[in-house]
Amino acid sequence: MKRKSRSFAALDILYICMMILPIVAAIVLKVLTKPISEGISITGAQIYLTVPMPIQDLIITESQINSWLVMIAIFGLCLFLTHGLDSRKVSTRQHVAEWIVEKVDAMVLDSMGEYFRGFSSFIAAILALSGFSSLMSLFGLYPPTSDINIVAGWAILVFALITYYKFKCGPITYLKSFTEPVAFLTPLNVISEVATPLSMAFRHYGNVLSGTVISVLIATGLQGLSKLVLGWLPGFLGEFPLLQIGLPAVLSIYFDVFSGCLQAYIFAMLTMMYVSGGFPMEEYFAKKEKLKNKKMEAN
Amino acid sequence: MLELAIGIILGGCALGAGCAMIAGIGPGIGEGNAVAKACEAIGRQPESKGAVTSTMLMGCAIAETTGLYALVIAILLIFVAPNIFVKILLNAIG
């Protein structure tokens, strides 16, 4: 077997560094800037920098920095997985990359249909960004998804996509879609249209944040309980955190790992359903056919 | 007097947050129903387990939304609202 060349290995190391260094940088930044506080408490994202702007000050918080670091890490992961693709000699990492692409393609094809096949890269990006952002809490970092500003940004992007696809048949069809099924339901339809991005943002952020809140409450409760059980012992033994060993980790498996991945899946699934559901497919193709026929007649 | 006023504000916020979370009953019942029906469906047709499970998770996530609205309001009442209300009170006093 031919040995891999030196430049190949060097690039590999570069990509692996690109995956790991952002996480390390985030941990270092957190350790350096974290204010010293007593005990366990619930805090929002930390503000690093405030840039004065004409209308409103631009605030750079922990969640923005963390989400950019996650993006860099995912970029490194993608470069690492797709490095050295070969159609004859398939390596393990190529298998992984192919598996991801095939799974997402099948998912998009299954729930959106043939016309939206090109959406699979966007959906994969949403899945990876949301999933890895929620998993940041495993490193003790602030997960960007528990800040509503980040998730609301994604939800507004999805809303723009939905509206774009609803506009495909022209503004008249778009406005008409609000009066269905009965004309007097129009206000309700407008409200539900506005509620779409709102509920998507609230759902994702609420789930991640509620996990954090419950974890903190239980950790505080366990602290009190272990003080109650061992508090009468003298010296070091009295402060030994007996009940805090291992028990919070069980919760962390549900709230950090399972819930984070589930929310990423649900956000991607809802994106697909809303985009493909809002697109008036039959009318669009009928219109296209009409235009084609007109052109033929004109010729 | 000022302490009493601020105490009433804080207590009102905490009570409001507690009342808001009563909304947790609805999604609980709804999701329980959804999971029960999904279990029935899997029992009837074990081969459709994958499709039923993913549809059920989707439905649960959507049913959860009302509960999460309540959660957001409760979090706002606990962490955000007291500061704003106390500021309004101090401004009104002058």
Side-chain angles (χ1 to χ4, degrees), chain A residues 42 199 202-203 205-207 209-210 262 265-266 269-270 273, chain B residues 54-55 57-58 61-62 64-65 68-69 71-72 75-76 79:
Chain A
I42 305 165
S199 74
F202 277 170
R203 184 177 299 122
Y205 133 90
N207 268 301
L209 184 66
S210 67
L262 185 69
Y265 170 75
I266 283 166
M269 235 11 209
L270 283 178
M273 276 165 58
Chain B
S54 62
T55 313
L57 284 177
M58 271 309 292
I62 290 170
E64 221 169 48
T65 310
L68 286 168
Y69 288 155
L71 176 80
V72 169
I75 285 172
L76 285 179
F79 292 110

Side-chain angles (χ1 to χ4, degrees), chain A residues 57-252:
Chain A
D57 286 354
L58 181 68
I59 300 167
I60 305 291
T61 59
E62 209 178 352
S63 47
Q64 266 137 323
I65 305 267
N66 278 1
S67 73
W68 274 96
L69 291 173
V70 167
M71 278 186 234
I72 295 170
I74 292 172
F75 189 49
L77 179 69
C78 291
L79 284 177
F80 177 73
L81 284 178
T82 55
H83 188 213
L85 291 183
D86 197 336
S87 57
R88 284 156 294 161
K89 192 164 67 53
V90 179
S91 57
T92 318
R93 69 175 88 161
Q94 190 176 340
H95 276 304
V96 175
E98 281 176 359
W99 181 79
I100 292 171
V101 169
E102 276 169 12
K103 278 282 163 196
V104 176
D105 261 344
M107 205 166 95
V108 169
L109 203 63
D110 210 33
S111 49
M112 291 180 95
E114 184 65 38
Y115 183 78
F116 291 99
R117 193 179 259 271
F119 255 79
S120 57
S121 47
F122 176 68
I123 298 298
I126 279 189
L127 271 175
L129 191 54
S130 165
F132 281 104
S133 295
S134 300
L135 290 181
M136 286 281 267
S137 55
L138 286 182
F139 295 103
L141 298 166
Y142 184 83
T145 40
S146 70
D147 186 337
I148 191 163
N149 299 307
I150 302 288
V151 191
W154 303 348
I156 289 168
L157 176 67
V158 171
F159 180 66
L161 266 178
I162 297 168
T163 314
Y164 171 76
Y165 275 98
K166 279 191 176 174
F167 250 97
K168 273 256 169 172
C169 281
I172 296 162
T173 326
Y174 175 70
L175 291 176
K176 224 187 221 167
S177 73
F178 282 110
T179 59
E180 280 167 3
V182 201
F184 71 84
L185 285 179
T186 310
L188 284 181
N189 280 331
V190 172
I191 289 172
S192 74
E193 186 76 14
V194 176
T196 307
L198 211 64
S199 74
M200 277 178 93
F202 277 170
R203 184 177 299 122
H204 198 154
Y205 133 90
N207 268 301
V208 179
L209 184 66
S210 67
T212 315
V213 171
I214 292 171
S215 302
V216 168
L217 284 180
I218 286 179
T220 323
L222 286 176
Q223 199 180 21
L225 256 179
S226 54
K227 242 182 211 157
L228 201 73
V229 174
L230 291 175
W232 50 277
L233 286 170
F236 164 74
L237 281 174
E239 288 167 12
F240 188 68
L242 177 72
L243 291 169
Q244 289 174 66
I245 304 171
L247 273 179
V250 179
L251 285 170
S252 170

Side-chain angles (χ1 to χ4, degrees), chain B:
Chain B
M1 215 46 197
L2 191 64
E3 285 88 0
L4 183 65
I6 290 176
I8 289 173
I9 287 177
L10 293 181
C13 285
L15 272 178
C19 290
M21 284 318 289
I22 292 174
I25 294 171
I29 294 172
E31 282 177 29
N33 271 337
V35 177
K37 293 286 177 194
C39 288
E40 272 178 27
I42 292 173
R44 223 178 291 130
Q45 280 175 308
E47 68 275 7
S48 69
K49 190 182 173 195
V52 169
T53 309
S54 62
T55 313
M56 182 201 74
L57 284 177
M58 271 309 292
C60 280
I62 290 170
E64 221 169 48
T65 310
T66 47
L68 286 168
Y69 288 155
L71 176 80
V72 169
I73 286 171
I75 285 172
L76 285 179
L77 274 175
I78 289 176
F79 292 110
V80 182
N83 290 333
I84 296 172
F85 290 156
V86 168
K87 220 175 262 170
I88 291 172
L89 177 76
L90 291 180
N91 279 340
I93 291 172

